[in-house]
Amino acid sequence: MLDKLKEEFKGELEARRQKILEESRQRANQITVAKRSLIDKERRQIEEDVQKQLKQERGEAVSHAKVEVKRLVSTAKEDAVEEAMNQLWKKFTSLGSGDGKRYEKLLLALAELGLSEVGACSVIYASEKDKKFLEKKYKGSVNAKPGITGGLIVESKDGKIHADYTLQGIFEENKDYLARRIHEKMFGG
């Protein structure tokens, strides 16, 4: 009987042990599944965050590239306008060394305009070459002035009133307008 009781007790212990082992395995599986689920959830969140970061960085890179392209295009346009302005300047200053008749008409018109602005008893300053031509009409009122390459300056006798009709002065006065017009012609509105 003691042996039988011992055997029964052993059997119950073994059954309990098996039950505890099974419950432990199930609990371990539940914990493992829960951990895997948590790990998977964290992994998906990290992947989403990485994708968002990459998308943002790509967006920033594209945005930066667009700004850089606009800057380069703008610089290229400015360079093209500047080159056109330089060519226009060369052509404009060549008026003084051209065929002569057109330039002489321009010079006389500028002298008349300057004298009407400043007054009839004024002094006209021009290049040495232009002085010789202007002396024919304005004898005694024309002086040569170094640095004037074309056109003229009309100044009152007392020097208080001054009208600059040099080619350089005319060009500088109209430079912004000319640059805008060239830009419009080259690139539209």
Side-chain angles (χ1 to χ4, degrees), residues 13-14 23 35 44 58 78 106 108 130 135 165:
L13 279 175
E14 185 57 32
E23 286 175 356
K35 285 285 185 183
R44 282 191 301 274
R58 273 192 299 261
E78 288 171 11
L106 174 65
L108 289 173
D130 293 343
E135 276 286 318
Y165 289 105

Side-chain angles (χ1 to χ4, degrees), residues 8-173:
E8 273 181 36
F9 186 66
K10 247 183 175 180
E12 278 182 38
L13 279 175
E14 185 57 32
R16 262 195 219 158
R17 188 181 75 77
Q18 288 298 328
K19 186 177 177 185
I20 290 172
L21 272 173
E22 186 57 34
E23 286 175 356
S24 295
R25 281 189 195 115
Q26 287 177 356
R27 183 70 182 134
N29 280 341
Q30 288 174 347
I31 290 172
T32 302
V33 167
K35 285 285 185 183
R36 272 192 210 132
S37 175
L38 185 61
I39 289 170
D40 284 345
K41 184 178 178 182
E42 285 182 34
R43 183 185 48 78
R44 282 191 301 274
Q45 184 62 48
I46 289 170
E47 286 173 354
E48 286 176 22
D49 291 347
V50 166
Q51 289 301 320
K52 284 179 187 176
Q53 182 69 25
L54 288 173
K55 186 176 179 181
Q56 180 181 352
E57 288 175 6
R58 273 192 299 261
E60 289 172 3
V62 167
S63 177
H64 178 70
K66 285 180 181 178
V67 168
E68 185 64 16
V69 165
K70 283 181 182 179
R71 187 189 67 74
L72 290 172
V73 167
S74 178
T75 300
K77 285 180 178 180
E78 288 171 11
D79 291 347
V81 168
E82 187 176 329
E83 179 60 30
M85 289 292 289
N86 289 337
Q87 290 174 7
L88 182 61
W89 170 246
K90 286 176 186 172
K91 190 169 185 169
F92 190 65
T93 55
S94 71
L95 284 174
S97 59
D99 65 12
K101 292 297 177 195
R102 275 182 58 202
Y103 179 67
E104 288 173 357
K105 285 182 184 178
L106 174 65
L107 206 53
L108 289 173
L110 293 174
E112 289 299 319
L113 185 61
L115 290 170
S116 70
E117 269 187 45
V118 179
C121 296
S122 299
V123 179
I124 299 172
Y125 295 99
S127 68
E128 189 65 48
K129 181 183 131 218
D130 293 343
K131 176 187 179 232
K132 291 175 186 172
F133 170 73
L134 290 168
E135 276 286 318
K136 295 175 190 172
K137 185 168 183 179
Y138 303 104
K139 197 157 191 85
S141 298
V142 184
N143 293 322
K145 187 170 187 175
I148 297 178
T149 56
L152 51 89
I153 295 173
V154 179
E155 195 172 86
S156 62
K157 292 245 186 222
D158 62 8
K160 291 182 180 178
I161 303 172
H162 176 91
D164 184 348
Y165 289 105
T166 60
L167 294 181
Q168 185 173 2
I170 293 167
F171 191 82
E172 284 297 320
E173 186 175 316

Side-chain angles (χ1 to χ4, degrees), residues 77-78 80-82 84-85 88 171-189:
K77 285 180 178 180
E78 288 171 11
V81 168
E82 187 176 329
M85 289 292 289
L88 182 61
F171 191 82
E172 284 297 320
E173 186 175 316
N174 293 288
K175 195 174 188 175
D176 290 339
Y177 170 76
L178 293 170
R180 278 194 309 275
R181 294 287 292 152
I182 288 170
H183 190 277
E184 287 171 6
K185 292 274 186 197
M186 292 175 94
F187 309 109

